[in-house]
Amino acid sequence: MLAMNYRGPYRVRADERPMPRILHPEDAIVRVTRSCICGSDLHLYHGMVPDTRVGMTFGHEFCGTVEQVGAEVRNLNVGDHVLVPFNIACGKCHFCQQGLFGNCHESNAQATAVGGIYGYSHTAGGYDGGQAQYVRVPYADVGPMVIPDWMDPDDAVLLTDVVPTGYQAAEMGGIQPGDTVVVFGAGPVGLMAARSAWLFGASRVIVIDHVEYRLDFARVFGPAEVYNFREIDDMVVFLKKLTDSLGPDVCIDAVGGDAAGSAIQTLLGTKLKLEAGNAIALHWAINSVKKGGIVSIVGVYGPTGNIIPIGNVVNKGITIRANQASVKRLLPRLIDHIKNGHMNPKAMITHRVPLTDVADAYHIFAAKLDGCIKPVLLPNGL
Amino acid sequence: MMTKAMVDTSAMPGWGVDADAENNPTWPMRQIDNQQTRGLSWQRPAQQHPHVEVLRSIEHNRLPAVIGTSTPPSGLSGAIRRYAFRRSESDWWHWLLLMGADRINVVEGVIEDLAHGKVPNIPAELGAKAEWKYNKKGFVLKAGTVLALGLGVAAMLRGGPRPDSAEEPAAPAEPATTMLPAPYWETPPVPAAPVVLIAPDIA
Ligand SMILES: [Zn+2]
Ligand SMILES: [Zn+2]
């Protein structure tokens, strides 16, 4: 079968690989129909995530048809078209039982701080991902969900990560009716967070980025007030001025360690790797949010450490909430939202690319060429 | 097994009088209403027995039930990874060693390709086709830089030990290095030879 093959920072290609096999009685093998490239794949692509081994296949946002099931799989049948949440979750452990499906204790040998994630380095379990024609899906009765007949597969594939991650970002913000919400990052997750903020009752949604075409998209898709940080001298002063000097009620970091802005953070985090990426978005979030406000983090950072003004968190009485999205917990609600027309995720898909062109797809997405917002790979054709 | 009540709290004055179920900032992410026990007490899924080497965080007291088996550790990078896994996730060296191993692994990947008779088409892997299509200016700048760098290296190699050409070797390499733009080509050291080989493919 054909699969994406990571060869080193900025270098990927599609190669023939052995078919995945059932390795556990609760496994399924899924034939991939759609597989997105995610902003967090770019952290891997840029070589920022420790224990990203050459030869691995990425891809944690995919849907496909069930090809084969293990002996203990009860809920899935061969031929079912399923969407597969990016979290690998057992459904039984201490954490899964609390609804923390992104924090499963039975899916990642290499680390305890994060649950297993498809195609996301060995730090997230060492699973080959879905940017391939076929993929092994562990705990097939827990994560995968049969795609409803009425649902467009383009919406379904976005329900595996970006929609629930953006939605959970807004949920963790504890947004109350009337709140002003600032979202840092106009990538797919930031766009979904902005859209979701309205569903929680925000009265004003502001999106910050530096990529003009994405800000233009956010203005309509959010809809949101948008600002380009390249044109702003001091982001924190600017946001205070927009909000009667008090600061926004809720700030959402939908950027993570691959941020731009702040030469010093870029030097320390991106170039020298002395911190786990560039934490400028989080820095801005903490320093601009209202006293007593909430900072919600869904941007991906590495496991070491970042320079953030933690003293200000204390002095301002800020609540910080963060997690990998618990996709399975959120799916029923999000499916309702799509059915009721409260959100239209598939509008974010700008590129549809055969798997053979995976290197170009990564480059277009990473370099933000050709107006790219969300690329989807089609490993088995249309 | 650890249970919720580790000590007899009934005799403790005021125990739990300020408990407030509403004051749970983790809800609904963490839903603990029906939680009876704590610790490693759940009914575990069947244990997968890995057929390849799998490294385990020392913060785990047992192997998780299901395991990823992509790309087991191998070579020098694998040896470094094994060593890194002697340290916890809280130890900076754990991660720095793994990052170091990742870089070495890239070189091993190229050697592996060559050993299988495959010359990696590095420009294609870097997405040169897309760069040419959507960012011609960037493409020309980067290709020019790599070419200059290649010529510089070639000149250096050619001019190295000759006693009669003292001024020749260092000079050409200098401007090429300072021109190197960020960040598209910067991470892997791009060997000079494949670029020339690949040129027809780009056009
Ligand atoms: Zn993702
Ligand atoms: Zn679990």
Side-chain angles (χ1 to χ4, degrees):
Chain A
M1 67 152 186
L2 203 61
M4 176 271 195
N5 182 351
Y6 170 74
R7 303 311 298 170
Y10 301 86
R11 286 178 49 211
V12 300
R13 65 185 187 222
D15 275 341
E16 277 301 318
R17 314 300 289 276
M19 279 284 287
R21 291 186 297 129
I22 300 269
L23 300 173
H24 184 272
E26 294 178 57
D27 283 358
I29 304 297
V30 166
R31 181 181 183 271
V32 180
T33 50
R34 277 168 180 71
S35 184
C36 294
I37 302 175
C38 176
S40 42
D41 287 330
L42 297 182
H43 306 308
L44 299 173
Y45 180 68
H46 293 153
M48 289 172 66
V49 180
D51 216 355
T52 303
R53 300 183 192 166
V54 170
M56 194 183 204
T57 297
F58 298 169
H60 58 268
E61 303 182 357
F62 58 92
C63 57
T65 50
V66 177
E67 187 79 6
Q68 196 187 343
V69 292
E72 282 178 29
V73 175
R74 301 275 172 269
N75 302 336
L76 289 188
N77 296 305
V78 170
D80 284 346
H81 195 195
V82 292
L83 66 92
V84 182
F86 74 93
N87 333 101
I88 300 174
C90 74
K92 292 177 175 161
C93 74
H94 184 65
F95 305 102
C96 286
Q97 288 197 342
Q98 295 172 42
L100 295 167
F101 294 100
N103 309 90
C104 178
H105 208 65
E106 294 281 14
S107 58
N108 182 359
Q110 278 85 357
T112 57
V114 59
I117 300 173
Y118 295 96
Y120 209 77
S121 83
H122 278 67
T123 297
Y127 295 88
D128 277 323
Q131 289 167 12
Q133 290 186 304
Y134 295 87
V135 59
R136 172 195 174 208
V137 172
Y139 302 128
D141 275 343
V142 181
M145 205 196 79
V146 176
I147 301 169
D149 286 338
W150 54 266
M151 187 182 281
D152 190 318
D154 284 350
D155 279 329
V157 74
L158 295 172
L159 280 171
T160 60
D161 181 358
V162 295
V163 178
T165 299
Y167 183 86
Q168 185 170 310
E171 180 191 55
M172 292 189 299
I175 298 165
Q176 299 299 312
D179 276 358
T180 295
V181 178
V182 173
V183 179
F184 294 96
V189 168
L191 292 167
M192 285 315 308
R195 180 76 206 106
S196 303
W198 297 113
L199 302 179
F200 285 97
S203 67
R204 188 177 185 192
V205 178
I206 297 165
V207 173
I208 309 291
D209 203 295
H210 68 119
V211 182
E212 276 298 333
Y213 75 83
R214 291 193 170 180
L215 289 172
D216 290 341
F217 190 86
R219 186 181 289 124
V220 180
F221 184 87
E225 273 174 66
V226 298
Y227 299 100
N228 187 332
F229 67 75
R230 298 274 187 220
E231 293 163 5
I232 292 164
D233 180 41
D234 185 311
M235 181 43 74
V236 171
V237 171
F238 178 78
L239 287 174
K240 292 269 173 81
K241 283 191 172 154
L242 279 186
T243 52
D244 289 339
S245 89
L246 298 179
D249 300 280
V250 177
C251 283
I252 293 171
D253 173 1
V255 180
D258 244 330
S262 173
I264 184 97
Q265 285 266 5
T266 298
L267 176 70
L268 293 175
T270 314
K271 304 284 180 205
L272 299 176
K273 311 267 193 282
L274 291 177
E275 48 172 335
N278 175 338
I280 191 62
L282 184 51
H283 179 99
W284 284 337
I286 289 168
N287 281 352
S288 59
V289 76
K290 189 185 276 186
K291 283 179 269 197
I294 298 179
V295 171
S296 168
I297 313 170
V298 288
V300 173
Y301 291 93
T304 50
N306 286 92
I307 298 173
I308 56 158
I310 199 74
N312 292 351
V313 174
V314 178
N315 290 336
K316 295 175 72 175
I318 295 167
T319 298
I320 294 184
R321 298 184 77 188
N323 205 349
Q324 296 282 352
S326 180
V327 178
K328 183 182 165 66
R329 173 176 68 80
L330 294 169
L331 277 178
R333 186 75 187 146
L334 295 171
I335 287 169
D336 278 352
H337 280 320
I338 290 174
K339 195 171 195 174
N340 296 330
H342 295 158
M343 46 174 68
N344 179 24
K346 64 179 177 293
M348 295 187 296
I349 293 178
T350 50
H351 289 69
R352 313 172 75 80
V353 185
L355 185 58
T356 42
D357 292 342
V358 66
D360 294 318
Y362 265 86
H363 180 60
I364 288 170
F365 188 44
K368 300 180 177 67
L369 303 177
D370 195 31
C372 187
I373 291 172
K374 190 72 177 172
V376 57
L377 298 165
L378 304 165
N380 285 295
L382 294 168
Chain B
M1 190 178 80
M2 218 163 87
T3 62
K4 257 191 161 176
M6 293 189 77
V7 294
D8 179 12
T9 52
S10 62
M12 197 178 288
W15 183 85
V17 296
D18 289 337
D20 177 5
E22 297 287 299
N23 182 19
N24 173 10
T26 67
W27 197 90
M29 271 201 299
R30 181 168 172 252
Q31 301 175 17
I32 53 178
D33 319 347
N34 299 319
Q35 191 186 328
Q36 296 302 316
T37 57
R38 286 187 175 172
L40 293 170
S41 59
W42 58 89
Q43 193 70 43
R44 296 192 74 205
Q47 179 71 54
Q48 176 191 345
H49 299 286
H51 59 287
V52 296
E53 181 182 0
V54 171
L55 300 174
R56 187 177 94 189
S57 167
I58 60 169
E59 295 180 38
H60 272 301
N61 64 353
R62 61 190 184 194
L63 203 59
V66 151
I67 298 139
T69 55
S70 171
T71 47
S74 65
L76 176 61
S77 67
I80 296 170
R81 294 191 208 282
R82 285 182 204 110
Y83 181 73
F85 270 82
R86 293 186 193 177
R87 297 164 182 271
S88 84
E89 294 161 57
S90 173
D91 187 326
W92 221 18
W93 281 107
H94 173 77
W95 301 110
L96 291 178
L97 285 165
L98 288 173
M99 291 289 270
D102 289 350
R103 297 299 166 265
I104 291 167
N105 201 189
V106 174
V107 179
E108 291 172 334
V110 173
I111 295 169
E112 185 202 345
D113 273 343
L114 295 173
H116 286 90
K118 181 184 173 80
V119 178
N121 185 341
I122 290 178
E125 291 171 0
L126 289 162
K129 200 171 69 186
E131 182 78 354
W132 173 248
K133 192 166 175 192
Y134 299 113
N135 187 19
K136 285 209 170 52
K137 217 173 100 184
F139 179 91
V140 170
L141 186 72
K142 284 159 197 163
T145 306
V146 172
L147 195 66
L149 201 66
L151 291 174
V153 170
M156 250 167 71
L157 290 174
R158 182 168 47 82
R162 281 187 308 179
D164 58 333
S165 55
E167 79 287 354
E168 211 186 302
E174 203 71 62
T177 322
T178 48
M179 271 170 65
L180 196 66
Y184 169 50
W185 296 97
E186 72 179 2
T187 321
V190 181
V195 175
V196 185
L197 276 175
I198 294 320
D201 180 84
I202 293 164

